[in-house]
Amino acid sequence: MHKYRTHTCSEISKKNSGSTVKLSGWIHRKRDHGNLLFFDLRDHFGLTQCVIENSNSFFKTVEKIKPESVVCVSGEVVDRSSDTVNKDLFTGEVEVKVSSFEILSESKDLPMPVFGEQEYPEETRLKYRFLDLRREEMHENIVLRSKVISFLRNKMISDGFLEFQTPILTASSPEGARDFLVPSRMHPGKFYALPQAPQQFKQMVMISGFDKYFQIAPCFRDEDGRADRSPGEHYQLDMEMSFVEQEDVFKVVEPIFFKLFTEFGKNKTVSKTPFRKITYKTSMLKYGTDKPDLRNPIEIFDVTEVIKRKDVKLDIFKKLIAKGGVVRAIPAPNTSSKPRSFFDGYNNWAKEEGAKGLGYILLEKNNGKFIGKGPIGKFFSEKAIGELAKICKAKENDAIFFSSDELKEAERISGIVRQKLGKELNLTNDKKFEFCWITDYPMYQYDEKEKKIDFSHNPFSMPQVNSKDFDKTDPLSILAYQYDLVCNGYEISSGAIRNHLPDLMYKVFFKAGYSKDEVNNKFEGMIKALSYGAPPHGGMAPGIDRIVMLLAGKNNIREVTLFPMNQNAQDLLMGSPSKPSELQLKELNIKILEKKK
RNA sequence: GGGGGUGUAGUUCAGUUGGUUAGAACGCUUGCCUGUCACGCAAGAGGUCGAGGGUUCGAGUCCCUUCACUCCCGCCA
């Protein structure tokens, strides 16, 4: 007989009745009747109830052993009487009558129980992650993560992609997030950087002629955490293809996501392919964000022209428009009968979020014509109200919120109002995965702080203007072949067709203030590689953690990560980051400066 | 770097207008219990009320400072 087990804890059934089995696992839960004791034995696969009577020589030991101790049990499989069958358990028709009992590893009193669904403080959960991971829900999330990664790997391989590893110790890149640096012992004063993404490497792989590449790639960025963003490190399905245009990438990626979310999405409906394509500009207008939650049917409208009319007397908005601002309208269906407190609540909340305020008007009908109620209703003529309702596709009994400010701020506020309305009015259907592509990102944006033109996304993206016309074009109007994949309000992936033309690369960087020498200096390898025959190529890099989070129905990335760091970028289980020894520092030629207070 | 929230038993929480010995449930310990599956019953142990300072005759409660965690902003090409 095997030393530890003949079966797992989810295997035995009536078929095994009468035979002797050996099981190993954790003591999940004990029910001690004094002279008769039940315990559930748990392993990765499931639970089996074991029973022992006081006549048994192991009885005292079993009574004393603490939950979560690991034990090996053997005994006869017996049928339960019909009134003691547990239908909630796979193995609930039988139980194991303990004939021998061995303790393999004892547990101390638990800082948090494995049994039950009670919530526990994250600090405790992270400190005792191995206990937290034994809990049913976490265990399932991590299994899901593994299955998702297997699915993706299999799919990529069957689609003709080759899986490669790229360096972890690499060079710092001057763009993007803050780098993690690793001191070099052999080159005192010099540092490696951990890759923020294998961006340049994967482009080199294309230039090296491998045609299609993918990798489940760790990415390191020294940025602060969020609920949907781990501090420090995360994983991407990094992929790149040669001789492709944007549409080719979409055609490869869409079926992957459709199948993945259909298979693992807990029966929620998934957007049919091809996914909707929304330009960045349209998305910012209609949804106030470049990661719209399309489960929410509310759309935002620009009503600047209506407010400008002579028969609208809203001077506050008119003044903002005169200063170059805009007015955005967010219709709130069937809310005109809501109490004043509802609207005041939104106004106060918006102010807390940094808005100047949130005007609103209630649409009612009189003799078939719209009239505007509410505090600012009186400032609109009947004609203006009609026009407003038409633009906003509003109906009787709808309310319309207004956000007026400079463009970016008006977009931001209208976007968060739309989100809040969708949620609070129960308009957002949470039984769906709504995918869309956000396309045509601007190549540049104006950096107000630095008073200069800067890249808005990836500087290696191909601009939608050719090299000949590039210098003649207003840089802020130049779009890029740059796209994001968005699902339910989360950015799932970013991607682009890359700029494979060194001549155009210099021009692109020049507009953002980099001379040819600087580009040669900072991207020496890239420029060199592009100068010896580079195929047109493009790809993307979906974030795996966020995908699993969506599939698991969670809104925190730590729920689907084995050993996450906390928000302060510390690993409470392993105790990182930690102080190096004097010897380590000496070898690395590093001296720690005391922080000034 | 900034803003919000939370912090009371091992854990989840309650704690009135500032007023006697800070409570409940789960967990733990002990005892009883042969059909439970959130077993039941009884008893018991367990508290620097995050920390420091202040106001007060008196502070878990009010004020100030600080720390931890968390959410958000900044940041994330």
Coordinates of all heavy atoms in Angstrom, one line a residue, chain A residues 1-12 20-26 41-48 70-75 96 100 102 104 139:
Chain A
M1 N 0.8 -1.2 0.0 CA 0.0 0.0 0.0 C 0.9 1.3 0.0 O 1.9 1.3 0.6 CB -0.9 0.0 1.2 CG -2.2 0.9 1.1 SD -3.2 0.9 2.6 CE -4.7 0.1 2.0
H2 N 0.4 2.3 -0.7 CA 1.2 3.5 -0.8 C 1.4 4.1 0.6 O 0.5 3.9 1.5 CB 0.4 4.5 -1.6 CG 1.2 5.8 -1.9 ND1 1.1 6.9 -1.1 CD2 2.0 6.1 -2.9 CE1 1.9 7.8 -1.6 NE2 2.5 7.4 -2.7
K3 N 2.5 4.8 0.8 CA 2.8 5.3 2.2 C 1.8 6.3 2.7 O 1.5 6.3 3.9 CB 4.2 5.9 2.2 CG 4.6 6.3 3.6 CD 6.1 6.8 3.6 CE 6.5 7.2 5.0 NZ 7.8 7.8 5.1
Y4 N 1.3 7.1 1.8 CA 0.4 8.2 2.2 C -1.1 8.0 1.8 O -2.0 8.4 2.6 CB 0.9 9.5 1.7 CG 2.3 9.9 2.3 CD1 3.4 10.0 1.5 CD2 2.4 10.0 3.7 CE1 4.6 10.3 2.0 CE2 3.7 10.3 4.2 CZ 4.7 10.5 3.4 OH 6.0 10.8 3.9
R5 N -1.3 7.5 0.6 CA -2.7 7.5 0.2 C -3.0 6.5 -0.9 O -2.1 6.3 -1.8 CB -3.3 8.8 -0.1 CG -2.5 9.5 -1.3 CD -3.1 10.9 -1.5 NE -2.4 11.6 -2.6 CZ -2.5 12.9 -2.8 NH1 -3.3 13.7 -2.0 NH2 -1.9 13.5 -3.8
T6 N -4.2 5.9 -0.9 CA -4.7 5.1 -2.0 C -5.6 5.9 -2.8 O -5.9 5.6 -4.0 CB -5.4 3.9 -1.5 OG1 -6.5 4.3 -0.6 CG2 -4.5 3.0 -0.7
H7 N -6.2 6.9 -2.2 CA -7.2 7.8 -2.9 C -7.0 9.2 -2.5 O -6.5 9.5 -1.4 CB -8.7 7.3 -2.6 CG -9.0 5.9 -3.0 ND1 -8.5 4.8 -2.3 CD2 -9.7 5.5 -4.0 CE1 -9.0 3.8 -2.9 NE2 -9.7 4.1 -4.0
T8 N -7.6 10.1 -3.2 CA -7.7 11.5 -2.8 C -9.0 11.7 -2.0 O -9.8 10.8 -2.0 CB -7.7 12.5 -3.9 OG1 -8.9 12.5 -4.6 CG2 -6.5 12.2 -4.9
C9 N -9.1 12.9 -1.4 CA -10.3 13.1 -0.5 C -11.6 13.4 -1.2 O -12.6 13.7 -0.6 CB -10.0 14.2 0.5 SG -8.7 13.7 1.7
S10 N -11.5 13.4 -2.6 CA -12.8 13.6 -3.3 C -13.2 12.4 -4.1 O -14.1 12.4 -4.9 CB -12.7 14.8 -4.2 OG -11.9 14.5 -5.4
E11 N -12.4 11.3 -3.9 CA -12.6 10.1 -4.8 C -13.5 9.1 -4.4 O -14.2 8.4 -5.2 CB -11.2 9.5 -5.1 CG -10.5 10.0 -6.3 CD -9.2 9.3 -6.5 OE1 -8.5 9.0 -5.5 OE2 -8.8 9.0 -7.6
I12 N -13.6 8.8 -3.1 CA -14.3 7.6 -2.7 C -15.8 7.7 -2.7 O -16.3 8.8 -2.5 CB -13.8 7.0 -1.3 CG1 -14.0 8.1 -0.2 CG2 -12.4 6.6 -1.4 CD1 -13.9 7.6 1.1
T20 N -10.8 -1.2 2.2 CA -10.0 -0.3 3.1 C -9.2 0.7 2.2 O -8.6 0.3 1.2 CB -9.0 -1.2 3.9 OG1 -9.8 -2.0 4.7 CG2 -8.1 -0.3 4.7
V21 N -9.3 2.0 2.6 CA -8.6 3.0 1.9 C -7.6 3.8 2.8 O -7.8 3.7 4.0 CB -9.5 4.0 1.3 CG1 -10.5 3.3 0.2 CG2 -10.3 4.8 2.3
K22 N -6.7 4.4 2.2 CA -5.8 5.3 3.0 C -5.8 6.7 2.4 O -5.7 6.9 1.2 CB -4.3 4.7 2.9 CG -3.4 5.3 3.9 CD -2.0 4.9 3.6 CE -1.5 3.8 4.6 NZ -0.1 3.5 4.4
L23 N -6.1 7.7 3.3 CA -6.2 9.1 2.9 C -5.2 9.9 3.7 O -5.0 9.7 4.9 CB -7.6 9.6 3.1 CG -8.8 8.8 2.4 CD1 -10.1 9.5 2.9 CD2 -8.7 8.9 0.9
S24 N -4.7 11.0 3.0 CA -3.9 11.9 3.8 C -4.4 13.3 3.5 O -4.9 13.6 2.4 CB -2.4 11.9 3.3 OG -1.8 10.8 3.9
G25 N -4.4 14.2 4.5 CA -4.8 15.5 4.3 C -4.9 16.3 5.5 O -4.3 15.9 6.5
W26 N -5.6 17.5 5.5 CA -5.7 18.4 6.6 C -7.0 18.1 7.4 O -8.0 17.8 6.8 CB -5.7 19.8 6.2 CG -4.4 20.3 5.7 CD1 -3.5 21.1 6.4 CD2 -3.8 20.1 4.4 NE1 -2.4 21.4 5.6 CE2 -2.6 20.8 4.4 CE3 -4.2 19.4 3.2 CZ2 -1.7 20.8 3.3 CZ3 -3.3 19.5 2.1 CH2 -2.1 20.1 2.1
L41 N -11.7 15.3 6.5 CA -10.3 15.3 6.0 C -10.3 16.0 4.6 O -11.1 15.7 3.8 CB -9.8 13.9 5.9 CG -8.3 13.8 5.7 CD1 -7.6 14.2 7.0 CD2 -7.9 12.3 5.4
R42 N -9.4 17.0 4.5 CA -9.4 17.8 3.3 C -8.1 17.7 2.6 O -7.0 17.8 3.2 CB -9.7 19.3 3.7 CG -9.9 20.2 2.5 CD -9.7 21.7 2.8 NE -8.3 22.0 3.2 CZ -7.9 22.5 4.3 NH1 -8.8 22.7 5.3 NH2 -6.6 22.7 4.5
D43 N -8.1 17.6 1.3 CA -6.9 17.8 0.5 C -7.3 18.8 -0.7 O -8.4 19.3 -0.7 CB -6.3 16.5 0.0 CG -7.2 15.7 -0.9 OD1 -8.2 16.3 -1.4 OD2 -6.9 14.5 -1.2
H44 N -6.4 18.9 -1.6 CA -6.6 19.8 -2.8 C -7.9 19.4 -3.5 O -8.6 20.3 -4.1 CB -5.4 19.7 -3.7 CG -5.6 20.4 -5.0 ND1 -5.6 21.7 -5.2 CD2 -5.9 19.9 -6.3 CE1 -5.8 22.1 -6.5 NE2 -6.0 20.9 -7.1
F45 N -8.3 18.2 -3.4 CA -9.4 17.7 -4.3 C -10.7 17.7 -3.7 O -11.7 17.8 -4.3 CB -9.0 16.2 -4.8 CG -7.7 16.1 -5.4 CD1 -6.6 15.7 -4.6 CD2 -7.5 16.4 -6.7 CE1 -5.3 15.7 -5.2 CE2 -6.3 16.4 -7.3 CZ -5.2 16.0 -6.6
G46 N -10.8 17.6 -2.3 CA -12.1 17.6 -1.7 C -12.1 17.2 -0.3 O -11.0 17.3 0.4
L47 N -13.3 16.8 0.2 CA -13.5 16.4 1.6 C -14.0 15.0 1.7 O -14.8 14.6 0.9 CB -14.5 17.4 2.2 CG -14.2 18.8 2.5 CD1 -15.5 19.5 3.1 CD2 -13.1 18.9 3.5
T48 N -13.5 14.3 2.8 CA -14.1 13.1 3.1 C -14.4 13.0 4.6 O -13.5 13.4 5.4 CB -13.2 11.9 2.7 OG1 -13.0 11.9 1.3 CG2 -13.8 10.5 3.2
V70 N -1.9 17.9 9.6 CA -1.9 17.0 8.5 C -1.8 15.6 9.0 O -0.9 15.3 9.8 CB -0.7 17.3 7.5 CG1 -0.7 16.3 6.4 CG2 -0.8 18.7 7.0
V71 N -2.7 14.8 8.6 CA -2.7 13.4 9.1 C -2.9 12.4 8.0 O -3.3 12.7 6.9 CB -3.9 13.2 10.1 CG1 -3.7 14.2 11.3 CG2 -5.3 13.4 9.5
C72 N -2.6 11.1 8.3 CA -2.8 10.0 7.4 C -3.8 9.0 8.1 O -3.5 8.6 9.2 CB -1.5 9.4 7.1 SG -1.7 8.0 6.0
V73 N -4.9 8.7 7.4 CA -5.9 7.9 8.0 C -6.1 6.7 7.1 O -6.2 6.8 5.9 CB -7.2 8.7 8.0 CG1 -8.4 7.8 8.3 CG2 -7.1 9.9 9.0
S74 N -6.3 5.5 7.8 CA -6.8 4.4 6.9 C -8.0 3.8 7.6 O -8.1 3.9 8.9 CB -5.7 3.4 6.6 OG -4.9 3.2 7.6
G75 N -8.8 3.2 6.8 CA -10.0 2.6 7.4 C -10.9 2.1 6.3 O -10.7 2.3 5.1
V96 N -15.3 7.2 6.1 CA -14.3 6.3 6.4 C -14.2 6.0 7.9 O -14.1 6.9 8.7 CB -12.9 6.8 6.0 CG1 -11.8 5.9 6.4 CG2 -12.9 7.0 4.4
S100 N -6.7 3.2 11.5 CA -5.4 3.7 12.0 C -5.2 5.2 11.7 O -5.9 5.7 10.7 CB -4.3 2.9 11.4 OG -3.7 3.5 10.3
E102 N -2.4 8.5 11.8 CA -1.0 8.9 12.0 C -0.9 10.4 11.8 O -1.4 11.0 10.8 CB -0.1 8.2 11.0 CG 1.4 8.4 11.3 CD 2.3 8.0 10.1 OE1 1.8 7.3 9.2 OE2 3.5 8.3 10.1
L104 N 1.1 13.5 10.6 CA 2.2 13.7 9.7 C 2.8 15.1 10.1 O 4.0 15.3 9.9 CB 1.8 13.7 8.3 CG 1.2 12.4 7.8 CD1 0.8 12.5 6.3 CD2 2.2 11.3 7.9
H139 N -8.3 29.2 -3.0 CA -7.8 28.0 -3.7 C -8.3 27.9 -5.1 O -7.5 27.7 -6.1 CB -8.1 26.8 -2.9 CG -7.2 25.7 -3.0 ND1 -6.0 25.7 -2.3 CD2 -7.2 24.6 -3.7 CE1 -5.3 24.6 -2.6 NE2 -6.0 23.9 -3.5

